[in-house]
Amino acid sequence: MPVATPIAVTEDELALVRYDSNGLVPAVVQEQGTGAVLMVAWMNEAALRRTLETGRTWFWSRSRQEYWCKGETSGDRQWVREAFYDCDGDVLLFVVEQEGRGACHTGERTCFYRRFGDGAAGTG
Amino acid sequence: MPVATPIAVTEDELALVRYDSNGLVPAVVQEQGTGAVLMVAWMNEAALRRTLETGRTWFWSRSRQEYWCKGETSGDRQWVREAFYDCDGDVLLFVVEQEGRGACHTGERTCFYRRFGDGAAGTG
């Protein structure tokens, strides 16, 4: 099993993150090595802190209104290696080691497996 | 100057995109070749159609409430090479050829130039 590498942040860094009116910020997850964009999900401040502290990706589910840790049930865990915030502080980027099959609940490695111009085959 | 490569899509494909309550969907922009995640901005349906038709990235500015074409004034244009939609249809991914200095208004190549754990130096 991959090893978790927590990221020690300062309160000053965390204070630069800007959440939307629902207290959420989009988090892009990119695979280490391949550079593939795996998925995008949402974090609130607690999910961000938990992600940095545990070295695993934690999100806030808008539909279920609960926290979820990626791969906790599927085994397709994400081990955070680097974490970035953008110039406006309103988008996050996590570079992860992706365990298991991949990031997508459909079984695809990335959630972005459908390309515009290829036709609308399969809805996942 | 790079050449624009419009992407021919079907209405069935466009119908798979799910917009939020404000009619917007987040769009991740990734650099072709390097795989660097350059920026994330928002599109409505018209911006998405314009992006695919023109081969340049068009966004909707939530703060200014207007369309903007990346690099139109700065010259730091983005030429779309591939476009994807995720498993839920609620996030878009554009692989682009980035012209000029880069994607960020600060002069950095990517908007994600600040890493958690490096301290909070510089706010862009």
Side-chain angles (χ1 to χ4, degrees):
Chain A
M1 195 168 83
V3 173
T5 51
I7 295 174
V9 292
T10 64
E11 289 299 317
D12 283 351
E13 285 177 291
L14 288 171
L16 291 174
V17 179
R18 287 165 52 193
Y19 302 90
D20 68 12
S21 57
N22 296 311
L24 300 173
V25 60
V28 180
V29 181
Q30 184 178 33
E31 188 174 39
Q32 190 182 41
T34 68
V37 176
L38 297 173
M39 58 181 284
V40 173
W42 296 81
M43 291 184 181
N44 57 19
E45 187 180 340
L48 171 58
R49 286 178 182 269
R50 211 180 290 193
T51 295
L52 296 170
E53 284 165 10
T54 65
R56 294 273 306 280
T57 48
W58 282 87
F59 304 102
W60 176 255
S61 168
R62 296 173 300 171
S63 55
R64 299 193 306 274
Q65 290 285 300
E66 64 181 21
Y67 294 97
W68 59 287
C69 181
K70 177 66 191 169
E72 193 57 30
T73 52
S74 67
D76 300 332
R77 302 177 188 87
Q78 293 175 339
W79 304 85
V80 177
R81 299 307 177 215
E82 290 184 292
F84 301 85
Y85 48 106
D86 81 345
C87 52
D88 295 325
D90 60 5
V91 185
L92 307 177
L93 170 65
F94 295 88
V95 176
V96 306
E97 182 176 343
Q98 174 69 57
E99 201 183 351
R101 299 174 310 169
C104 191
H105 71 285
T106 62
E108 301 280 347
R109 186 136 195 95
T110 166
C111 293
F112 298 93
Y113 61 91
R114 294 178 298 178
R115 186 179 359 217
F116 283 111
D118 283 351
T123 55
Chain B
M1 194 169 83
V3 173
T5 51
I7 295 174
V9 292
T10 64
E11 289 300 316
D12 283 352
E13 285 177 292
L14 287 171
L16 292 174
V17 179
R18 289 164 53 195
Y19 302 90
D20 69 12
S21 57
N22 295 313
L24 299 174
V25 61
V28 181
V29 180
Q30 184 179 33
E31 189 174 39
Q32 190 183 41
T34 69
V37 175
L38 297 173
M39 58 180 283
V40 173
W42 295 81
M43 291 185 182
N44 59 17
E45 187 179 341
L48 171 58
R49 287 178 182 269
R50 214 181 287 192
T51 295
L52 296 169
E53 284 165 10
T54 64
R56 294 273 306 279
T57 48
W58 281 87
F59 304 102
W60 177 255
S61 168
R62 296 173 300 172
S63 56
R64 299 192 307 273
Q65 291 283 300
E66 63 181 21
Y67 293 98
W68 59 286
C69 182
K70 177 68 192 168
E72 193 58 29
T73 52
S74 66
D76 300 332
R77 302 176 188 86
Q78 295 175 338
W79 304 85
V80 178
R81 299 307 177 216
E82 290 184 292
F84 301 85
Y85 48 106
D86 82 345
C87 52
D88 295 325
D90 59 6
V91 184
L92 307 178
L93 170 65
F94 295 87
V95 176
V96 306
E97 183 176 342
Q98 175 69 57
E99 202 182 350
R101 298 175 310 169
C104 191
H105 71 284
T106 62
E108 301 279 347
R109 185 135 196 97
T110 166
C111 294
F112 298 93
Y113 61 91
R114 294 178 298 178
R115 184 177 6 212
F116 284 112
D118 282 352
T123 54

